[in-house]
Amino acid sequence: MSTFPELPPSVTALEDEVLGRWQQEDTFQQSLRQTADGAPFVFFEGPPTANGRPGIHHVLSRTIKDTVSRFRTMQGRWVPRMAGWDTHGLPVEIEAEKKLGISGKREIEAIGIARFNEVCRESVLTYTDEWERFSARIGYWLDYSDPYVTYHPDYVESVWWLLAEINKRGLFYRGHKILPYCPRCGTGLSSHEVAQGYKDVKDPSLYLTMPVLGDDGQPDGRELLVWTTTPWTLVSNVALAISADEEYVEVARDDRRYILVRARVAPLFGEDAEIVRSYRAEELVGLAYQRPFDWVQPEGFPDEQVRNAWHVYAAGFVSSGDGTGIVHISPAFGADDYALGQSAGLPVLRPVDDRGLFREDLPLVGGKFVKDADTDLLIDLKGRGLVFKSSREEHSYPHCWRCGSPLLYMARDSWFIRTTAVREQLIANNDQVRWFPPEVGSGRFGEWLENNIDWAISRNRYWGTPLPAWVCDAEPQHVQFIGSFAELREKTGLSELPDPHRPYVDDLAWPCEQCAGTLRRTPEVIDVWFDSGSMPFAQHHYPFENTEKQKRQFPAEFISEGVDQTRGWFYSLLAISTLLGNTEPPYRHVVVNDMLLDDKGSKMSKSKGNIVNPWEAIGTYGADAIRWYLLSASNPWLPKRFDPDGVKEVQRKTFDTLRQTYRFFALYANLEGWTAESEAPAERSVLDRWLLSRLASVTAEVTADLEGYNLTHAVRAIADFVVDDLSNWYVRRSRDRFWGSADGADTRAAFATLQQALVTVSRLMAPFAPFVTDWLHRGLTGKSVHLAEFPAVDSAAMDAGLERGMEAVRTLSTLGRAARDAVSIRVRQPLGTLYAVVPDGYGVDATLLEILRDELNVRTVEFMHRAEELVTFSAKPNFKTIGKVHGGNTQPAAAAIRALTSEQLAVFRRGETVEYTYARVADGTPVTFALAETDFD
């Protein structure tokens, strides 16, 4: 005779036991083999960078991924879950610099690219073992047997093929544009990288004057009032811009005359400002002015460009909403400035090196970092009487998302992919995606696509996928993109290729087929986001092998990452797929998760000392409780706190209740000799039938929630069933049926019903809480829950009428107990009659009445049409109200009740005193009832 095992002594002991079984039995691989012939449900794993440790926030994202994957596996779908590692890019380079004790590109090149990249390669997988242990410990099943690694040659070759295909479509070009540039890292950033690094900082807000010059080249007494938040760019000023659509005026104050847009006069000069003249914009265009600093000369530029400099121009980007309506133009350091400079034929002055330092030969600021020079420049301008007003204002400014340095907008040479050419298809593909929540897809992401600009793909760095473009040293317009290693071997004549990274690939060259020059690889590497966005193809080494496998696993049904990936991985996946000509998205469903905060609602950071160690948290509470808490606290896409008290409450209320229910079942099943093989009687009590109906209803609800990615609603529905329906009602009401009952058939029915409920609950909970459910399912059935099917909805067991009737009984029971408590009459003291008013549709038959009578210890129940039928007298002066009910000592009871018939009302009558309290049914439907004492035993 089989027995049901005892639960381990602690949560961690249980989870460790289950982990050992999974490893011993290779349960994950069993589940993949078992579903190998099932319809694919494709999941893409966003690759983490393995040179950093996992944090508590990773539990949330990995729980979402694992929950959906386990659910679909239990439905019989084949869910491939290939692990991957993001191994290129600045995070790795920064760690390598720290290990080598160096900083910056000069020191990297001093030790040599080969040595530097060797250290990068050694560090990229530093914490892979910890990531694998972490994933296993939280129950995140991921296939680490053959992960994709972005620095592996096969992966690099697939990325090269993608880049070459995009080039074949005419979407690659080289350009000289203003790019957000990190002087610390020495490279430009793409627009979606910039979006991830904004910080609130205080920067200068400077209003300065630039004297208008007359025909003789001398100041004519007027001054152009200019506003800037980047004083350091004044060193390279070459023009001023005004709006062609605004009216400008000349304001007199203290023997000086200032020119600015009319709309800004009152904010800067007050309502009583003395306006001496107004100007149409065309009257100001062409005016010459005296630039603030003449340290940089326009050497090497055509005479015409030099003549065009230091004049006023009209530009469409100038507004009158702030500033002065006059904008200072430095084409080397602003996109609008650069565009105006190109159209007006202006010189581009850039006295700043790649480290963001001014040239050493410049007075006052030579050798300084540009943003550190603002104060010195301000002091100089004040000394010359050119400062009208200055302050420091807080605003959001872009910083490097990797190293935290402030970005500079600088004119740079870069390689671009023309994503603007496929903007409409990007939008159309995104429209086919179901986002959770929808507003991210239509708002944050959709608006990003609407304003999409070309992708600056190249990076002037070292450890990354080399851009496979070979450029002729004689005719730079002669460019060849290499899309495979075989093609590279053919071009170079080498039978064996070196490592496809810098510096080895840089040495490969061959004669240009169009001229007498030599083709040499352009020195840049590519944006690391292109690496990660290539994974649907490169993880399979497509198209060089696994073509059928790739087709079977594209597109993904489901992906999930943090909201910060909206303009990162989510975008790169969509952009690359669309650039290849795909008219469907690379993913169909996206669940976005937001930030995990500390228990006080603050962002976790090392500086604040509020980071939660994930290993300590798991060791204290167990992975199941943490997973359950993170999903139940709020929808994944809302910020949530990691509150230890909240995790404890989940452990106590949901999981302790489930374990206690199993203990109760196992204890008496073993004592009574009941086994899972025992034949269940055909007839079951009303409680059994009700529980099985509720079980079917909850199964239908949870299935629909999981299929609709409504994970939070699903876990809450299960928790309510376990605590309220299963434990607090069914087990409590059925307790004496499990031992020593004279009715053996009823006892067997009770055991069979409870065992079925526990098995079904284990399967419903398995995707969310994989440890305790596997232990329980094995204890109940001998088999792993993760090799079982997700429960099918038993429509035959559903009885809506019975569920409504039991709901009425449970509500009346709650209200009756409250009424007893209100007048201090304990349940053990029997009462004569319960008078109740129940809404239409809540039928309470004789069997349910028996439960209600027993629950409230009353002899009879009478149903009334209206509560007023109970009241045929007036209240005495000792009339009391319980709850928030209007009334007083002299108000007749009948009137009080009549006034409350539209509310939720409970009435208890004892003698001539009427006392009442409020209550509400779960769905908001009013249930009104009363207890009336006819006599006491």
Side-chain angles (χ1 to χ4, degrees), residues 764-932:
L764 291 174
M765 291 181 68
F768 308 98
F771 293 96
V772 67
T773 55
D774 199 49
W775 194 98
L776 291 176
H777 198 270
R778 289 173 188 267
L780 293 162
T781 69
K783 299 176 183 178
S784 171
V785 74
H786 304 297
L787 300 178
E789 294 181 358
F790 198 77
V793 178
D794 186 359
S795 300
M798 286 185 174
D799 187 335
L802 176 57
E803 290 191 42
R804 286 194 299 271
M806 191 68 80
E807 181 184 358
V809 167
R810 294 174 70 184
T811 303
L812 292 170
S813 299
T814 301
L815 296 171
R817 287 177 177 274
R820 277 181 173 273
D821 290 341
V823 292
S824 303
I825 298 178
R826 292 174 294 181
V827 174
R828 70 178 62 178
Q829 183 170 353
L831 295 175
T833 304
L834 164 72
Y835 294 94
V837 179
V838 178
D840 292 340
Y842 284 78
V844 181
D845 62 18
T847 54
L848 293 177
L849 282 179
E850 181 58 36
I851 295 174
L852 180 58
R853 285 194 296 269
D854 183 65
E855 183 72 14
L856 290 178
N857 195 9
V858 296
R859 292 178 178 176
T860 60
V861 177
E862 292 186 19
F863 291 102
M864 319 298 294
H865 294 293
R866 294 181 60 82
E868 290 92 324
E869 297 178 25
L870 296 174
V871 185
T872 59
F873 58 89
S874 297
K876 296 295 184 182
N878 63 348
F879 173 83
K880 296 187 297 182
T881 58
I882 301 171
K884 298 178 180 178
V885 180
H886 62 80
N889 290 340
T890 60
Q891 183 177 12
I897 294 176
R898 191 174 298 110
L900 294 168
T901 54
S902 62
E903 303 290 341
Q904 286 69 49
L905 175 68
V907 181
F908 174 73
R909 183 171 69 192
R910 182 178 181 183
E912 293 181 317
T913 301
V914 177
E915 301 179 357
Y916 50 88
T917 184
Y918 286 111
R920 185 181 294 276
V921 180
D923 67 355
T925 304
V927 172
T928 305
F929 78 102
L931 287 175

Side-chain angles (χ1 to χ4, degrees), residues 484-725:
S484 71
F485 294 162
E487 185 181 0
L488 189 57
R489 285 193 294 268
E490 179 185 341
K491 295 292 184 183
T492 60
L494 297 173
S495 58
E496 293 292 332
L497 293 176
D499 176 7
H501 285 87
R502 301 191 70 190
Y504 313 107
V505 72
D506 297 343
D507 298 333
L508 304 181
W510 58 89
C512 179
E513 299 170 359
Q514 297 175 268
C515 68
T518 300
L519 289 168
R520 304 182 188 279
R521 199 192 70 82
T522 189
E524 296 92 344
V525 297
I526 66 169
D527 180 1
V528 70
W529 289 108
F530 196 97
D531 270 358
S532 57
S534 300
M535 59 79 59
F537 309 94
Q539 68 176 344
H540 303 297
H541 194 209
Y542 180 87
F544 307 103
E545 56 181 323
N546 300 317
T547 54
E548 291 304 315
K549 185 177 182 181
Q550 193 278 333
K551 290 177 182 177
R552 191 183 183 205
Q553 297 186 37
F554 185 90
E557 283 291 337
F558 161 70
I559 61 173
S560 178
E561 295 294 341
V563 70
D564 58 321
Q565 294 295 319
T566 305
R567 295 169 184 174
W569 190 55
F570 297 157
Y571 173 74
S572 63
L573 284 171
L574 183 69
I576 292 170
S577 177
T578 305
L579 288 162
L580 292 178
N582 288 318
T583 56
E584 64 174 339
Y587 44 80
R588 294 192 174 111
H589 301 86
V590 186
V591 176
V592 178
N593 66 268
D594 208 321
M595 190 177 298
L596 188 60
L597 309 172
D598 70 7
D599 58 345
K600 296 179 177 61
S602 298
K603 184 178 179 181
M604 294 186 193
S605 68
K606 291 181 180 178
S607 61
K608 293 180 180 178
N610 61 347
I611 290 179
V612 175
N613 184 311
W615 293 103
E616 292 179 1
I618 295 165
T620 301
Y621 310 112
D624 278 340
I626 294 174
R627 286 171 59 126
W628 196 271
Y629 166 76
L630 291 174
L631 290 180
S632 63
S634 64
N635 282 318
W637 46 86
L638 297 176
K640 56 178 59 61
R641 302 181 183 191
F642 185 82
D643 183 0
D645 289 338
V647 182
K648 291 176 187 176
E649 178 69 6
V650 162
Q651 188 66 265
R652 181 192 65 79
K653 188 173 181 181
T654 302
F655 289 94
D656 284 355
T657 299
L658 180 63
R659 284 188 288 266
Q660 290 300 335
T661 302
Y662 170 79
R663 285 193 179 100
F664 171 84
F665 167 82
L667 172 65
Y668 289 104
N670 290 336
L671 286 174
E672 297 291 327
W674 188 90
T675 69
E677 293 76 29
S678 301
E679 183 178 352
E683 293 295 326
R684 302 212 190 194
S685 73
V686 66
L687 273 170
D688 295 341
R689 289 186 282 108
W690 167 79
L691 184 68
L692 296 178
S693 179
R694 286 292 302 130
L695 194 61
S697 297
V698 170
T699 298
E701 184 178 0
V702 171
T703 303
D705 284 339
L706 280 167
E707 290 179 345
Y709 299 91
N710 194 349
L711 310 185
T712 299
H713 190 271
V715 294
R716 290 175 178 177
I718 296 171
D720 288 345
F721 176 81
V722 169
V723 175
D724 296 332
D725 295 342

Side-chain angles (χ1 to χ4, degrees), residues 136-250:
R137 184 61 191 87
I138 65 173
Y140 180 37
W141 279 359
L142 204 60
D143 190 353
Y144 288 102
S145 63
D146 185 25
Y148 68 87
V149 183
T150 58
Y151 82 82
H152 282 178
D154 283 355
Y155 197 97
V156 170
E157 185 176 23
S158 289
V159 173
W160 279 13
W161 175 81
L162 290 167
L163 292 164
E165 286 297 305
I166 292 170
N167 180 64
K168 288 178 184 177
R169 294 173 178 270
L171 298 174
F172 248 106
Y173 68 95
R174 281 182 295 174
H176 188 75
K177 288 188 176 183
I178 299 294
L179 293 176
Y181 176 82
C182 176
R184 158 64 183 78
C185 299
T187 191
L189 283 77
S190 60
S191 56
H192 48 276
E193 289 179 292
V194 175
Q196 299 182 73
Y198 276 85
K199 296 180 182 179
D200 289 334
V201 296
K202 285 191 174 182
D203 271 339
S205 174
L206 173 63
Y207 294 83
L208 73 154
T209 62
M210 299 189 191
V212 176
L213 301 178
D215 294 338
D216 59 357
Q218 298 301 311
D220 71 0
R222 296 175 295 171
E223 299 174 81
L224 297 160
L225 189 56
V226 181
W227 178 61
T228 182
T229 57
T230 54
W232 64 269
T233 61
L234 292 168
V235 176
S236 52
N237 168 267
V238 296
L240 296 177
I242 63 173
S243 170
D245 303 321
E246 296 288 342
E247 179 188 5
Y248 287 78
V249 295
E250 187 176 318

Side-chain angles (χ1 to χ4, degrees), residues 352-374:
V352 177
D353 66 16
D354 286 349
R355 294 172 296 167
L357 305 180
F358 278 111
R359 285 191 340 228
E360 292 284 355
D361 63 321
L362 295 183
L364 190 63
V365 297
K368 287 189 175 182
F369 181 63
V370 292
K371 292 186 78 67
D372 294 337
D374 284 340

Side-chain angles (χ1 to χ4, degrees), residues 255-321:
D255 298 326
R256 299 179 72 169
R257 290 179 293 153
Y258 303 93
I259 296 175
L260 70 160
V261 70
R262 180 181 285 276
R264 294 293 295 162
V265 171
L268 293 173
F269 290 88
E271 296 293 341
D272 57 350
E274 183 183 354
I275 298 175
V276 298
R277 182 181 173 182
S278 65
Y279 295 90
R280 299 187 310 276
E282 58 262 30
E283 295 180 82
L284 299 178
V285 170
L287 285 181
Y289 67 91
Q290 182 177 300
R291 58 173 167 156
F293 303 101
D294 58 2
W295 304 334
V296 182
Q297 301 307 317
E299 298 172 353
F301 291 95
D303 292 342
E304 182 181 359
Q305 289 191 12
V306 177
R307 287 194 298 270
N308 291 339
W310 303 297
H311 289 81
V312 176
Y313 293 86
F317 57 81
V318 180
S319 74
S320 60

